[in-house]
Amino acid sequence: MSTSPLASKRIELAEKAIAKRFKEGRGSGVGRDYLPFLTVRDVPSTGRVHRLPSATVGRVHHLLSDLEHHVFCQLDWHPEVVDIREQFPIALEDSRALAQRLGIAHPSFSGVDQVVTTDFIVDMNRSGRVFHKAISAKYAEDLDDPRVIEKLELERHYWLEKDIPFCIVTEQEIPRLLVENIKWIRPFLASYVFNAVELREYFAIFNDTKRFYPSQKITDITKKLDDDYNVEAGTHLSVLRHLLAQRAFSFDMLNTSVKTLVWEDLIPSELWIAERYEYVVGE
């Protein structure tokens, strides 16, 4: 897997920008109401960033690298995950005190201490018991940088003191099949701009198709749909890929290849059924 251009980038904020973000409530809230401390608009324009809707939470998430995107897809698919909060900030007073105790220079830029963020805070429900996990997504080559390691140590100690497990995920832990499936779906995220009526109609068409042709491959039946509706060949497959990217439907992306996908593999989103989803237009 290639390294994201963002891997070597840093996001530097002035004191006023940091104060403004906290005043706006960045890094607070849960579920659909959570506001990430950093968004895709805050990163360099050359970075590989993603705005991706969640089937679990129902809001658009801000992912600052391809690796974060891949980790997010795993989390969003996981049946025990109930909330995902990305770009989660650690209060400056806490990270400063911790850095002093550990003898680590606090991350700073031009004399301004920068907010330490954790890539993902995840809430998981296992047999009725909710617990939390903190995750940092880092490219393996970045772990050779002593300053990256020091920042990770700050994160690790902070979360361990709160009895929250902290782990690092690199591209080497991402399953190859998951990446292949993402590459098949991802380019169609913003390939269409549908209104609410059109989305409802396509969602209903695919739900009905799943009911009537459960064991048929999606490629075979989408061809039939093109013929039935007298539209250009490939239209319904493209729209389905768009709705998959928008999380209207999901499937076991870790164990099922899109090459063998059949209709019964697709799980309609409860958020889409209830029409409580957030639709991504453009990027």
Side-chain angles (χ1 to χ4, degrees), residues 3 23 28 30 37 68 92 104 166 175 178 197:
T3 300
K23 187 176 181 180
S28 64
V30 296
F37 187 74
E68 285 188 16
L92 273 171
I104 294 175
F166 173 77
L178 173 68
V197 173

Side-chain angles (χ1 to χ4, degrees), residues 13 18 21-22 25-29 34-38 85-92 94-95 114-121 155 158-159 162:
L13 300 175
I18 292 172
R21 277 169 171 71
F22 280 119
R26 302 283 195 100
S28 64
Y34 173 75
L35 297 173
F37 187 74
L38 298 170
R85 299 185 292 283
E86 75 280 16
Q87 323 310 334
F88 190 93
I90 296 173
L92 273 171
D94 292 337
S95 59
Q114 299 294 294
V115 175
V116 176
T117 57
T118 296
D119 296 327
F120 299 102
I121 302 300
E155 289 183 69
Y158 176 82
W159 293 114
K162 292 185 173 296

Side-chain angles (χ1 to χ4, degrees), residues 15 25 27 42 66-67 112 118 155 158-159 167 176 251-252 265:
E15 288 183 2
D42 300 319
D66 287 342
L67 179 56
V112 177
T118 296
E155 289 183 69
Y158 176 82
W159 293 114
C167 67
R176 181 177 297 177
F251 65 95
D252 184 350
D265 292 328

Side-chain angles (χ1 to χ4, degrees), residues 154-165:
L154 281 177
E155 289 183 69
R156 186 175 72 86
H157 279 272
Y158 176 82
W159 293 114
L160 287 180
E161 288 182 4
K162 292 185 173 296
D163 293 323
I164 293 177

Side-chain angles (χ1 to χ4, degrees), residues 248-279:
F249 296 89
S250 62
F251 65 95
D252 184 350
M253 295 177 70
L254 291 174
N255 300 299
T256 305
S257 170
V258 293
K259 297 176 182 177
T260 60
L261 201 61
V262 298
W263 285 95
E264 64 184 354
D265 292 328
L266 300 182
I267 303 170
S269 166
E270 293 295 329
L271 291 164
W272 276 70
I273 292 172
E275 297 187 5
R276 294 178 55 245
Y277 58 87
E278 187 171 347
Y279 183 62

